Amino acid sequence: MLALAQPTPRLANEYYPDNENVRQYFSAQIRQLSPERSLRAVRAQSPVRRSSVQPILKPIRRSASTVTRKSTLSAASDDDTGSTIKGDTAKPPALLRSNTDVARRRQPLPERPDPTEEWEMRHGYDEQYNSTKYLEHLSSTFFMYYTDKRHETGGKPRQHDPNYNPSEWRMRDRLKTVSAALIMCLNIGVDPPDVVKTNPTAKLECWIDPTPIIGTNSKTMEQIGKKLQEQYEGLSIRVRYKQYLDPSVEETQKFCKSLRRNAKDERILFHYNGHGVPMPTPSGEIWVFNRNYTQYIPVSLYDLQIWLGAPSLYVFDCSNAGNIIANFDRFVEKHEEEDAEAKKKDPNLQLPTHGDNIQLAACGKTESLPTDPSLPADLFTCCLTTPIDISLRFFLLNNPLPCEVSLKDVSRIPGRLAERRSPLGELNWIFTAITDTIAWNLLPRAVFKKLFRQDLMVAALFRNFLLSERIMRANGCHPMSVPSLPETHNHPLWLAWDLTIEMVLAQLPAMIAAEDGGPSYEYVHSEFFTDQLTAFEVYLAQGAPNQEAPSQLPIVLQVLLSQVHRLRALILLSRFLDMGAWAVNLALTIGIFPYVLKLLQSAAFELKPVMIFIWARILAVDGACQADLIKDNGYQYFLTMLNPSAQLPVPNQSEHRAMSAFIIAMFCRGFNQGQTVCLSPELIETCIGHFQDAENPLLRQWSCLCISMLWADFPEAKWVGIRSQAHQKLCEMAIDPVPEVRAAALHALNNFLGIPDLTAQVAHYEECVASTIMIMTNDGNSMVRRELLVFFSTFVKRYQNRFLVVAFEQLIEEKEFLLDTAAENNWNPQHGSLSRRSSKPGSDDDAEFQRVSNGSVQGTMWMHLLILSIDPHPEVAQDAKIIVDYIHEALLASPLGSRAQPLMNDVVRLSRRAAVSNPPATSRQPSAAPNGRRTPVAGSPAPPALPKNESYLSAGMRRTASMAAAMKRLTFGGSAEDAQAPQTIQVTQHYPGGPKRSRIPEEWSRPPDIHDPESKPKVYIKAKSPKPKGFQKYDPSSTPALPLKSGFFDWSIEYFGEPQMRPNEPDEPGSDDYNKKLWRRSRNEKVLNCTQPLKGVAGTSRWDEPVGYFNNGSQPTKMCFHQFEDHLAIADDRDSICIWDWTNHTRLCRFSNGNPPGSRINEARFINEDDSALLLTGSSDGIVKIFRNYESDKSIELVSAFRALTDHVPSTKNAGLVLDWQQGQGKLLVAGDVKAIRVWNAATEICTNNITARSNSPITSLTHDAVEGSTLIAGYGDGAIRVFDQRLKPSTEMVRVWRKHNQWITNVHMQRGGFRELVSGCRDGEVKLWDLRWKDEVRTIRAVETEAGGGGGGPRGGVMRGLSVHEHAPVFAAGSSSHTLNVFHTNGTPLSVLSPTIPSTYTGTHFLQSHRNTPMASSAFHPHRMVVAGGGVGSGWINVWRCKGVEGVEEKIQS
């Protein structure tokens, strides 16, 4: 196993100008998180010393696995030592090697200290704990493990709403107004009969006064019509306008039909000015003229809808215009009814549509237009077409303060509407931003999208309609629209508009004077956009409570048009997009996409980082932007940034290159045009070069995925990759320290498979890849193993015929094994082995059957698939079973099916017969039956149907000798012939006692519980086994299909859709999770402060005060107290774990560990106890599992499960699996009935070190030092204790060996607090205290007296069954075979002899009497409180005692 360095946490984005302010703010909030007194300084538990992984606190990247705390340390913060801080001191001296199995020590050892002298910190750690630097380091950081996103989700992408469309923001049904009819019914000089005008009255039409030139009506009408067209052209120049001045009814019909014919399915604008004709009738009819202009002719809305059709946009500027709005839909419904009747008669009839219509009206049903002479007569039209002019006039007319500007001066504001830096252009720019913002805040999103983003003409008219509502309402009219809008006239932004106008008018006299030849004047631009950006920044600082849309978002969009504010606006926009997918959707809905697409053509150097960030967020939400990027070569922007030679104006360039790689990967995903334009050796070599970036795993991950998407279903890219040796470089990523990178490499290699022309060369490349990555079957991360199975499934599908041969040969081998086993009665007591008939070359047997798959990649992969089908993680096992079942069903359907079916029948029959006759630990299960779904071949006996939910090796770990040999071969190497050679399971040799010593009984090298009878409670209900979050069980009745589908890419995309620039919810001050965390910190501090002073009391008082007594329901084998919660985890002798609230004697949860038959739980530990703890379990079959929400039956979930010891055979006896957890370094030390100590790194989830055990005896116990974390101590079955220093090279890493014990080491433990005593216990009852610096023991204590004539301790009599050591108090407890728990001070003083009570239902004696004939099964101290728990063999009752004299402290903690 290769040793790998720990990964550096992912870097953060740091390109924002205000990054330092955010950093300071965030750091201040984190400092508030820590209590005044540090947990670590008080407890000094699980210290952290990470050589390569350092905590990185960045304001824009969360770290799900780290929490940083700072606190002020007092002068005497270490209550364990009671000493004061003397300043920084050097590290403790390196451990010296003694006379060991390898070499003699090189330096003389110091003399052993006198035990009578005053006690000091063991192992030379006193100087270390008095170091100010060390104490600050302890108090500043602790790490949380198995809490990353990959553990919370299992690598599965979120399930999205099937009705959700990420591209909904796009205008799929975008319309545009192509034609406009401007109808002017003015009849200048003739007033309509139903209109009474005031004197004076409003006269201006399109800002033209028609009265001075009464005799030239035609020219005046032409001028007014031309002016109206110019005003509309200011809104949209591309529309074809046509003026119709005082038209007749025939002309109206003709041009309406002509407009619809030319516009086809596009929108038509119909502008109607009826100031010179009667008002609309109550039925909605409008008026025009006859040919001779002698009569007013009504035009029905029914006819008008027929002539114009739909879609259409109507503008009605006349009195009583509300009548038209009120009747319009009534006639539309009438048309639709008639069309439906016509469709019934002729289904093929093509009919025009009438429904999609938009209407704007100047006033209500009974309202007349304003006649104020200071206002134009067509006030509504002026609001719609010249909003700036009418706004200035309206402001002057309603301004109560004196002003130097007159109405005539308004027209002299310099500039043009299109010039945003000019005064007039700036007014128009601000007006657009304000009206867009008002509509965004008040209108429903669908209405806003239709009216303000679908059609430029519609958007312009409705922006101005908002102004008309304000101005018309001030003059007694209420404009109407369809669709109707909420009231907008009183929106607060209108005050900002008034302020903007006032600032411009205040400067107007100076600008006019300068224009007339006076002193020059420089225009002072408005602060409107600056102020609004500041308001947006305040919104972002508040964290968008309840995901409320920011009111300033449309203004930010307008600011992007300005180079002055563009960078700041983009930075703020990126911060908003970072809030999640909802923020990206809002930004896309508001119309941000065209702007950021256009900015890709910008060469501005300072915009590159923020543009990369924004595009990464957009593509994470909507990946359907590939066609947009290919326009104008927008993708080149990111290809350039991916190159290492490209420089960026930010310190974290590698993270922006990771975003660029993500963008290119999304661009190529399923888009052949994108793959084609990106294909180049330079891109692949650039990605390969990024594999070496050790500082940023995100860049390595997306470099792999970029290659994956580039050559997916693209053979040309695969050949380019082969020439660049990309497949070989990806194989090297199989040992990357970050699981996401390893999974990404597998994703790329899976897409590498499938070159259409399967030549020998292609097959060689693919088989080399497959053989290289098979080591990843032992990966500790389930997400990686699932991705590996996706690769296996693709490989199996591609080489299916070869796998059929492999599976067929496996069936033959399986049958032969079962026949031999049956012939030999399965077990030979003399040799203690399972033997199998061998086939030597040249023999008859060899001639009958010769495996053709020996040594092939397919044969080895098939064995891996069989092993993975019994993987401890349910999702991995399920995926592997699908592949195995697929091959078995394909085998039955192949030409070999006629021979395979009888083989399967025989294997099923023989395996079931063997299962009945064999004990569970050695039962054999077939490998052939594919879930029993296939119909037997005709003529063959029908096999008994297997359960639907079982597959190869059934659902349990009923492993066989051949399977164990296969696992051993796959782990340590060897030929395929070795796996088929006669295999033997020698029970006594798996767990030997080492070299036989003279006159030493063999019993001494066996575990104390070797002769315990099996516990048989009256009622034992198997508990439910927890499943991973989101686990979906495969339907066994469905037909398996290959290849498997990978969800890793979609899961990886989610990273860019999640907030990265602000802390997680648990780290956000004020959040519920944050407050819970603060409460837990306070609670933890209280426990520590209350319990630390009790260490002296614990060493001088009795421990026989009962505080708890409850029935676990089954015999306990392991117990573990939570440091701070009132939780006691109890593992029984089968596969169940119970979580108890030991203070209230209530069971919180009971669940199954999912152990296969023949194995049991050996270890149970709590991890991450400072915050939300997880439960870690280890089983005798080498399996480690981690559970979340372990205290709840409803919420418990499996976080991780992996095979920590891959060559381990399950057993209910002997050492099984032993482990030790290093919280500070995140390491899991695992050993047992193997010849090595495996060091698993929790951050990388791979085995980073294999420490040779240096003995043939099993390792029975592991512990480590809680200071540096580099020293580990192992106890052995032969009584030896060895000390290893992980910092040294393998040849010298064993630095000490003690052989003072003669029998099985029951336990060896180094305290995490107190004096750091190293205590070991032997089955003969001796307990020894050690100092790492000395070759001899410090003290020997007889904790359990051996019975006379016991031969040094036998299965009966005085045998130490267990040893428990308090983490801080100088106390330990030894469980005996005589049903007593003996509590001692570490100086050898006996404190108490405890006898657990058992009800009469178990003992047959009186109720609650002690039962002296049963040994102690398990015991455990609370890490901080003076409490000990114990239970006996054959009983499910648990006793909890506490030290006398601590009653008040316990009540204080409970309060």
PDB file of all heavy atoms in Angstrom, residues 819-836:
ATOM      1  N   LEU A 819     -18.400 -30.330  -4.038  1.00  0.00           N
ATOM      2  CA  LEU A 819     -18.341 -31.786  -4.054  1.00  0.00           C
ATOM      3  C   LEU A 819     -17.216 -32.288  -3.163  1.00  0.00           C
ATOM      4  O   LEU A 819     -17.390 -33.242  -2.392  1.00  0.00           O
ATOM      5  CB  LEU A 819     -18.158 -32.287  -5.485  1.00  0.00           C
ATOM      6  CG  LEU A 819     -19.376 -32.152  -6.418  1.00  0.00           C
ATOM      7  CD1 LEU A 819     -19.011 -32.541  -7.838  1.00  0.00           C
ATOM      8  CD2 LEU A 819     -20.540 -33.012  -5.913  1.00  0.00           C
ATOM      9  N   ASP A 820     -16.055 -31.665  -3.246  1.00  0.00           N
ATOM     10  CA  ASP A 820     -14.932 -32.066  -2.400  1.00  0.00           C
ATOM     11  C   ASP A 820     -15.241 -31.824  -0.932  1.00  0.00           C
ATOM     12  O   ASP A 820     -14.899 -32.626  -0.066  1.00  0.00           O
ATOM     13  CB  ASP A 820     -13.676 -31.286  -2.796  1.00  0.00           C
ATOM     14  CG  ASP A 820     -13.168 -31.690  -4.168  1.00  0.00           C
ATOM     15  OD1 ASP A 820     -13.614 -32.741  -4.668  1.00  0.00           O
ATOM     16  OD2 ASP A 820     -12.341 -30.947  -4.727  1.00  0.00           O
ATOM     17  N   THR A 821     -15.904 -30.703  -0.665  1.00  0.00           N
ATOM     18  CA  THR A 821     -16.244 -30.389   0.718  1.00  0.00           C
ATOM     19  C   THR A 821     -17.224 -31.409   1.273  1.00  0.00           C
ATOM     20  O   THR A 821     -17.096 -31.859   2.420  1.00  0.00           O
ATOM     21  CB  THR A 821     -16.854 -28.985   0.801  1.00  0.00           C
ATOM     22  OG1 THR A 821     -15.932 -28.043   0.258  1.00  0.00           O
ATOM     23  CG2 THR A 821     -17.156 -28.605   2.234  1.00  0.00           C
ATOM     24  N   ALA A 822     -18.194 -31.774   0.473  1.00  0.00           N
ATOM     25  CA  ALA A 822     -19.157 -32.771   0.922  1.00  0.00           C
ATOM     26  C   ALA A 822     -18.500 -34.124   1.126  1.00  0.00           C
ATOM     27  O   ALA A 822     -18.813 -34.852   2.080  1.00  0.00           O
ATOM     28  CB  ALA A 822     -20.305 -32.881  -0.085  1.00  0.00           C
ATOM     29  N   ALA A 823     -17.554 -34.468   0.242  1.00  0.00           N
ATOM     30  CA  ALA A 823     -16.872 -35.757   0.360  1.00  0.00           C
ATOM     31  C   ALA A 823     -16.015 -35.830   1.615  1.00  0.00           C
ATOM     32  O   ALA A 823     -15.895 -36.881   2.241  1.00  0.00           O
ATOM     33  CB  ALA A 823     -16.019 -36.020  -0.881  1.00  0.00           C
ATOM     34  N   GLU A 824     -15.427 -34.718   2.002  1.00  0.00           N
ATOM     35  CA  GLU A 824     -14.564 -34.694   3.181  1.00  0.00           C
ATOM     36  C   GLU A 824     -15.303 -34.268   4.440  1.00  0.00           C
ATOM     37  O   GLU A 824     -14.695 -33.947   5.452  1.00  0.00           O
ATOM     38  CB  GLU A 824     -13.386 -33.756   2.936  1.00  0.00           C
ATOM     39  CG  GLU A 824     -12.489 -34.211   1.799  1.00  0.00           C
ATOM     40  CD  GLU A 824     -11.323 -33.255   1.602  1.00  0.00           C
ATOM     41  OE1 GLU A 824     -11.156 -32.375   2.456  1.00  0.00           O
ATOM     42  OE2 GLU A 824     -10.613 -33.413   0.610  1.00  0.00           O
ATOM     43  N   ASN A 825     -16.629 -34.208   4.353  1.00  0.00           N
ATOM     44  CA  ASN A 825     -17.441 -33.813   5.513  1.00  0.00           C
ATOM     45  C   ASN A 825     -17.111 -32.405   5.969  1.00  0.00           C
ATOM     46  O   ASN A 825     -17.259 -32.071   7.137  1.00  0.00           O
ATOM     47  CB  ASN A 825     -17.252 -34.804   6.659  1.00  0.00           C
ATOM     48  CG  ASN A 825     -18.362 -34.711   7.663  1.00  0.00           C
ATOM     49  OD1 ASN A 825     -19.443 -34.202   7.357  1.00  0.00           O
ATOM     50  ND2 ASN A 825     -18.115 -35.184   8.882  1.00  0.00           N
ATOM     51  N   ASN A 826     -16.601 -31.604   5.025  1.00  0.00           N
ATOM     52  CA  ASN A 826     -16.420 -30.163   5.200  1.00  0.00           C
ATOM     53  C   ASN A 826     -15.286 -29.788   6.128  1.00  0.00           C
ATOM     54  O   ASN A 826     -14.670 -28.746   5.963  1.00  0.00           O
ATOM     55  CB  ASN A 826     -17.700 -29.496   5.713  1.00  0.00           C
ATOM     56  CG  ASN A 826     -18.854 -29.726   4.772  1.00  0.00           C
ATOM     57  OD1 ASN A 826     -18.659 -29.758   3.568  1.00  0.00           O
ATOM     58  ND2 ASN A 826     -20.030 -29.904   5.320  1.00  0.00           N
ATOM     59  N   TRP A 827     -14.992 -30.552   7.155  1.00  0.00           N
ATOM     60  CA  TRP A 827     -14.033 -30.075   8.163  1.00  0.00           C
ATOM     61  C   TRP A 827     -13.232 -31.246   8.683  1.00  0.00           C
ATOM     62  O   TRP A 827     -13.772 -32.282   9.051  1.00  0.00           O
ATOM     63  CB  TRP A 827     -14.775 -29.406   9.314  1.00  0.00           C
ATOM     64  CG  TRP A 827     -13.864 -28.698  10.275  1.00  0.00           C
ATOM     65  CD1 TRP A 827     -13.415 -29.142  11.465  1.00  0.00           C
ATOM     66  CD2 TRP A 827     -13.300 -27.410  10.088  1.00  0.00           C
ATOM     67  NE1 TRP A 827     -12.599 -28.221  12.047  1.00  0.00           N
ATOM     68  CE2 TRP A 827     -12.514 -27.146  11.227  1.00  0.00           C
ATOM     69  CE3 TRP A 827     -13.364 -26.454   9.071  1.00  0.00           C
ATOM     70  CZ2 TRP A 827     -11.801 -25.966  11.382  1.00  0.00           C
ATOM     71  CZ3 TRP A 827     -12.669 -25.287   9.220  1.00  0.00           C
ATOM     72  CH2 TRP A 827     -11.900 -25.042  10.364  1.00  0.00           C
ATOM     73  N   ASN A 828     -11.937 -31.095   8.720  1.00  0.00           N
ATOM     74  CA  ASN A 828     -11.041 -32.112   9.236  1.00  0.00           C
ATOM     75  C   ASN A 828     -10.478 -31.635  10.556  1.00  0.00           C
ATOM     76  O   ASN A 828      -9.618 -30.754  10.581  1.00  0.00           O
ATOM     77  CB  ASN A 828      -9.899 -32.358   8.239  1.00  0.00           C
ATOM     78  CG  ASN A 828      -9.087 -33.595   8.606  1.00  0.00           C
ATOM     79  OD1 ASN A 828      -8.978 -33.939   9.781  1.00  0.00           O
ATOM     80  ND2 ASN A 828      -8.538 -34.254   7.598  1.00  0.00           N
ATOM     81  N   PRO A 829     -10.915 -32.145  11.676  1.00  0.00           N
ATOM     82  CA  PRO A 829     -10.472 -31.620  12.963  1.00  0.00           C
ATOM     83  C   PRO A 829      -8.991 -31.792  13.183  1.00  0.00           C
ATOM     84  O   PRO A 829      -8.355 -31.006  13.870  1.00  0.00           O
ATOM     85  CB  PRO A 829     -11.293 -32.425  13.977  1.00  0.00           C
ATOM     86  CG  PRO A 829     -12.406 -33.040  13.194  1.00  0.00           C
ATOM     87  CD  PRO A 829     -11.900 -33.221  11.814  1.00  0.00           C
ATOM     88  N   GLN A 830      -8.420 -32.829  12.577  1.00  0.00           N
ATOM     89  CA  GLN A 830      -7.007 -33.072  12.820  1.00  0.00           C
ATOM     90  C   GLN A 830      -6.147 -31.969  12.241  1.00  0.00           C
ATOM     91  O   GLN A 830      -5.202 -31.495  12.850  1.00  0.00           O
ATOM     92  CB  GLN A 830      -6.622 -34.427  12.217  1.00  0.00           C
ATOM     93  CG  GLN A 830      -5.140 -34.773  12.432  1.00  0.00           C
ATOM     94  CD  GLN A 830      -4.812 -36.132  11.867  1.00  0.00           C
ATOM     95  OE1 GLN A 830      -5.685 -36.806  11.334  1.00  0.00           O
ATOM     96  NE2 GLN A 830      -3.563 -36.537  11.980  1.00  0.00           N
ATOM     97  N   HIS A 831      -6.495 -31.526  11.042  1.00  0.00           N
ATOM     98  CA  HIS A 831      -5.695 -30.493  10.374  1.00  0.00           C
ATOM     99  C   HIS A 831      -6.333 -29.116  10.490  1.00  0.00           C
ATOM    100  O   HIS A 831      -5.705 -28.123  10.167  1.00  0.00           O
ATOM    101  CB  HIS A 831      -5.510 -30.845   8.896  1.00  0.00           C
ATOM    102  CG  HIS A 831      -4.830 -32.163   8.698  1.00  0.00           C
ATOM    103  ND1 HIS A 831      -3.502 -32.372   8.977  1.00  0.00           N
ATOM    104  CD2 HIS A 831      -5.338 -33.348   8.261  1.00  0.00           C
ATOM    105  CE1 HIS A 831      -3.186 -33.641   8.704  1.00  0.00           C
ATOM    106  NE2 HIS A 831      -4.274 -34.255   8.268  1.00  0.00           N
ATOM    107  N   GLY A 832      -7.590 -29.094  10.902  1.00  0.00           N
ATOM    108  CA  GLY A 832      -8.258 -27.803  11.033  1.00  0.00           C
ATOM    109  C   GLY A 832      -8.314 -27.054   9.731  1.00  0.00           C
ATOM    110  O   GLY A 832      -8.033 -25.878   9.666  1.00  0.00           O
ATOM    111  N   SER A 833      -8.672 -27.742   8.641  1.00  0.00           N
ATOM    112  CA  SER A 833      -8.627 -27.065   7.349  1.00  0.00           C
ATOM    113  C   SER A 833      -9.713 -27.589   6.444  1.00  0.00           C
ATOM    114  O   SER A 833     -10.225 -28.683   6.618  1.00  0.00           O
ATOM    115  CB  SER A 833      -7.265 -27.250   6.681  1.00  0.00           C
ATOM    116  OG  SER A 833      -7.067 -28.616   6.376  1.00  0.00           O
ATOM    117  N   LEU A 834      -9.995 -26.800   5.436  1.00  0.00           N
ATOM    118  CA  LEU A 834     -10.839 -27.207   4.324  1.00  0.00           C
ATOM    119  C   LEU A 834      -9.906 -27.529   3.182  1.00  0.00           C
ATOM    120  O   LEU A 834      -9.122 -26.671   2.769  1.00  0.00           O
ATOM    121  CB  LEU A 834     -11.799 -26.081   3.936  1.00  0.00           C
ATOM    122  CG  LEU A 834     -13.015 -25.866   4.819  1.00  0.00           C
ATOM    123  CD1 LEU A 834     -13.702 -24.582   4.394  1.00  0.00           C
ATOM    124  CD2 LEU A 834     -13.970 -27.018   4.754  1.00  0.00           C
ATOM    125  N   SER A 835      -9.969 -28.703   2.620  1.00  0.00           N
ATOM    126  CA  SER A 835      -9.082 -29.074   1.524  1.00  0.00           C
ATOM    127  C   SER A 835      -9.891 -29.265   0.267  1.00  0.00           C
ATOM    128  O   SER A 835     -11.085 -29.517   0.303  1.00  0.00           O
ATOM    129  CB  SER A 835      -8.312 -30.362   1.869  1.00  0.00           C
ATOM    130  OG  SER A 835      -9.210 -31.427   2.050  1.00  0.00           O
ATOM    131  N   ARG A 836      -9.172 -29.196  -0.860  1.00  0.00           N
ATOM    132  CA  ARG A 836      -9.836 -29.287  -2.152  1.00  0.00           C
ATOM    133  C   ARG A 836      -8.983 -30.112  -3.085  1.00  0.00           C
ATOM    134  O   ARG A 836      -7.755 -30.006  -3.071  1.00  0.00           O
ATOM    135  CB  ARG A 836     -10.046 -27.892  -2.707  1.00  0.00           C
ATOM    136  CG  ARG A 836     -10.776 -27.923  -4.024  1.00  0.00           C
ATOM    137  CD  ARG A 836     -11.112 -26.521  -4.466  1.00  0.00           C
ATOM    138  NE  ARG A 836     -11.691 -26.622  -5.787  1.00  0.00           N
ATOM    139  CZ  ARG A 836     -11.322 -25.897  -6.819  1.00  0.00           C
ATOM    140  NH1 ARG A 836     -10.400 -25.002  -6.670  1.00  0.00           N
ATOM    141  NH2 ARG A 836     -11.888 -26.047  -7.984  1.00  0.00           N
TER     142      ARG A 836
END
